[in-house]
Amino acid sequence: MFGFFFKKNTCDLWDNLFYTVICNFFSLAALFASFLMLAAALNAPLSGGLKAGTVLISLAAGCTLTCTVTIALGDNAARISQFNSARYGNFFRRIASSLKDGALCGIFLAAVISIAVISMPFYYRMWNSSRNPLWFVFMVIIFWFLVTTVFALQWFLPVRSLLHNGLLKCLKKSYIIFFDNMGFTFAVTLVNILNTLISVITFGLYPGTAGIVLTSTNALRILLYKYDWLEVNPGLSPKERRNVPWSDLLAKDKKTLGPRTLKGFFFPWKEK
């Protein structure tokens, strides 16, 4: 299953190269604007609670801007994962309609970042100074919450784009999918780490944010076949649930994707 996912995702990223690069210009602009807002707040001539509040507001605003643009990428990522073509107009129209969910998601992300930046060092200092095991327990709980959230959030946008659920239900399902498919989640994470490394080389233009969103969406679309299979086969034992007939479930997708050679990537017209 992973082999087909990786092949299809590679093909989709290549086939939509220009779309990916163009959309990533806007993602990079959002990230740059967010960075400028946060840098201005950190360097503002303020002190105490006023500065902390300013930094927190700028962080939430930056996360909102970034999340809004990222959420706007979701509709086209779903279309591409379903063997349809991306539409530039979809992306631009979705920016305005994604503002509400972008704000909610941005506030949540800002809260997670704040917990990581403030709570972890605080509990570590308390434990280091007193050696009270209670502080260590708090630190471990926060650490695993952050790790779990990072992995689970990979599924958030695909759940929203493919299943069209509300924010809270998307978050809930993201955690459920993570705990139910930890091995596959780690594998998708490795692919997204590879996407990130390539993005550094290409200055964020390819595959960039759009490519990472598409990767996670492709992964969830394939994973949903398992849940469709479980739905029509209730009462399976835990052992039977693990033996998912991926060859049968992916047969139609494999036929639709077809064979793709290296020559076909660069000269697709020669394979027709």
Side-chain angles (χ1 to χ4, degrees):
M1 183 266 275
F2 177 80
F4 174 74
F5 153 70
F6 189 80
K7 177 183 177 181
K8 181 182 184 304
N9 190 66
T10 303
C11 293
D12 286 344
L13 286 172
W14 180 255
D15 292 344
N16 295 275
L17 187 150
F18 293 110
Y19 161 79
T20 301
V21 170
I22 290 172
C23 289
N24 281 332
F25 271 112
F26 294 91
S27 296
L28 288 171
L31 285 171
F32 184 64
S34 301
F35 171 77
L36 290 180
M37 284 190 288
L38 185 59
L42 289 170
N43 294 315
L46 304 172
S47 60
L50 184 59
K51 182 166 187 175
T54 303
V55 170
L56 186 59
I57 291 173
S58 66
L59 176 63
C63 288
T64 294
L65 178 61
T66 304
C67 288
T68 298
V69 176
T70 304
I71 289 173
L73 294 166
D75 183 69
N76 273 330
R79 289 182 55 84
I80 294 170
S81 73
Q82 295 164 344
F83 297 100
N84 296 313
S85 300
R87 295 176 179 174
Y88 292 95
N90 272 6
F91 168 67
F92 295 112
R93 285 194 300 269
R94 294 288 178 182
I95 291 177
S97 61
S98 300
L99 185 57
K100 178 182 176 181
D101 283 355
L104 295 173
C105 189
I107 292 171
F108 175 77
L109 187 60
V112 171
I113 294 173
S114 299
I115 290 172
V117 173
I118 298 172
S119 298
M120 284 294 291
F122 170 77
Y123 287 128
Y124 175 77
R125 287 195 302 268
M126 296 299 293
W127 172 74
N128 193 42
S129 61
S130 65
R131 295 296 171 177
N132 187 333
L134 184 62
W135 298 118
F136 182 77
V137 170
F138 286 153
M139 185 171 64
V140 170
I141 291 173
I142 293 295
F143 172 78
W144 284 112
F145 163 75
L146 293 172
V147 170
T148 301
T149 299
V150 168
F151 283 112
L153 283 180
Q154 286 185 107
W155 301 118
F156 171 79
L157 189 54
V159 168
R160 183 185 181 279
S161 302
L162 294 172
L163 302 180
H164 308 289
N165 295 138
L167 180 70
L168 293 179
K169 187 170 284 189
C170 286
L171 283 173
K172 179 182 177 181
K173 287 187 177 181
S174 297
Y175 283 99
I176 291 173
I177 292 171
F178 165 65
F179 284 115
D180 193 38
N181 304 275
M182 294 182 69
F184 187 54
T185 301
F186 295 148
V188 175
T189 301
L190 291 177
V191 176
N192 277 328
I193 289 173
L194 176 61
N195 287 336
T196 303
L197 293 176
I198 298 173
S199 299
V200 171
I201 298 173
T202 61
F203 300 99
L205 292 177
Y206 183 82
T209 304
I212 292 172
V213 171
L214 177 58
T215 296
S216 297
T217 306
N218 263 324
L220 181 61
R221 181 183 173 275
I222 292 173
L223 196 58
L224 289 177
Y225 285 138
K226 181 182 84 168
Y227 292 103
D228 292 338
W229 173 74
L230 290 173
E231 187 176 348
V232 298
N233 293 277
L236 296 175
S237 66
K239 183 179 180 180
E240 290 173 327
R241 288 171 62 92
R242 290 194 293 270
N243 296 323
V244 182
W246 285 114
S247 296
D248 295 334
L249 296 178
L250 295 175
K252 184 178 179 181
D253 279 8
K254 288 180 179 179
K255 184 178 180 180
T256 303
L257 182 63
R260 296 291 295 267
T261 63
L262 185 61
K263 183 177 75 173
F265 269 89
F266 297 99
F267 309 104
W269 59 88
K270 291 187 176 182
E271 290 202 334
K272 295 182 180 181

